[in-house]
Amino acid sequence: MANVCFLLADGYEDSEMKNPYDAMNEAGHQTVVVGLEKGAELKGKKGTVAYTSDFSISEVKVDDYDAVIIPGGSAPEALRVNDEVVEFVKQANEQGKVIAGICHGPQVMISADILKGVNTTSYIGIRDDLKNAGSNFLDQEVVVDGNIITSRTPKDEPAFIKEILNKL
């Protein structure tokens, strides 16, 4: 079974965390929530779910994980300005780990500068940011390009989850 790291900060899209997280656990994978601080209570923007971070980003090593999942909402904005988060995602990509982002999740990948020449999708609001990062934006429910998996919105979660599970 795989070790899956969820990168999370306050204000994530509730279902984009809950549904992939539950699906990974149901499939028997080991999951951890990594935040900017250990033990922080992280609330979804709709208030339907909350998670406590198992580790801070400064405590984790990329080598310990097979996949990194980045839910959307406003959380990626808080994550992408943290140098340790950006370096973690950069290293995960260098090691060919699965990196999956939905909605605004790819913002962290943009900051890690790992999307040049990569096919991606996202929430329409960051489409131009993806293009400016050198990505080929596709308006599809899920796009898989090598180790990178991206999706648009909560309605695309089933396809997003399916592709993550396929990769693991």
Side-chain angles (χ1 to χ4, degrees):
M1 291 290 107
N3 289 324
V4 181
C5 167
F6 282 82
L7 290 178
L8 206 61
D10 262 339
Y12 53 88
E13 178 64 48
D14 300 44
S15 68
E16 292 173 356
M17 174 59 188
K18 181 184 187 327
N19 294 333
Y21 184 81
D22 291 351
M24 296 307 120
N25 285 315
E26 286 163 20
H29 299 298
Q30 298 295 314
T31 57
V32 296
V33 176
V34 174
L36 300 177
E37 297 173 21
K38 180 179 182 170
E41 187 184 2
L42 305 170
K43 295 182 178 94
K45 70 179 191 178
K46 293 192 170 117
T48 64
V49 290
Y51 294 85
T52 301
S53 55
D54 299 302
F55 300 102
S56 73
I57 189 65
S58 58
E59 295 176 296
V60 293
K61 292 182 179 44
V62 171
D63 300 348
D64 296 337
Y65 303 99
D66 303 297
V68 178
I69 300 177
I70 311 165
S74 60
E77 191 72 36
L79 294 168
R80 76 185 299 192
V81 298
N82 180 287
D83 292 341
E84 289 175 299
V85 170
V86 170
E87 187 57 32
F88 184 84
V89 172
K90 207 177 273 191
Q91 287 178 16
N93 189 58
E94 287 166 5
Q95 294 181 22
K97 310 279 178 148
V98 173
I99 304 172
I102 186 167
C103 192
H104 285 80
Q107 286 179 314
V108 181
M109 299 178 210
I110 291 168
S111 293
D113 196 24
I114 62 169
L115 297 179
K116 279 185 185 62
V118 176
N119 292 320
T120 61
T121 195
S122 69
Y123 174 71
I124 195 77
I126 64 167
R127 172 190 59 198
D128 294 342
D129 303 316
L130 284 166
K131 289 177 179 178
N132 291 336
S135 168
N136 177 33
F137 181 85
L138 304 169
D139 188 12
Q140 298 172 4
E141 64 179 357
V142 66
V143 175
V144 179
D145 191 336
N147 62 312
I148 308 280
I149 302 169
T150 52
S151 237
R152 299 176 302 195
T153 66
K155 72 177 171 43
D156 300 326
E157 287 166 21
F160 181 65
I161 292 165
K162 178 177 173 258
E163 292 300 339
I164 296 168
L165 291 172
N166 285 347
K167 283 279 187 191
L168 296 178

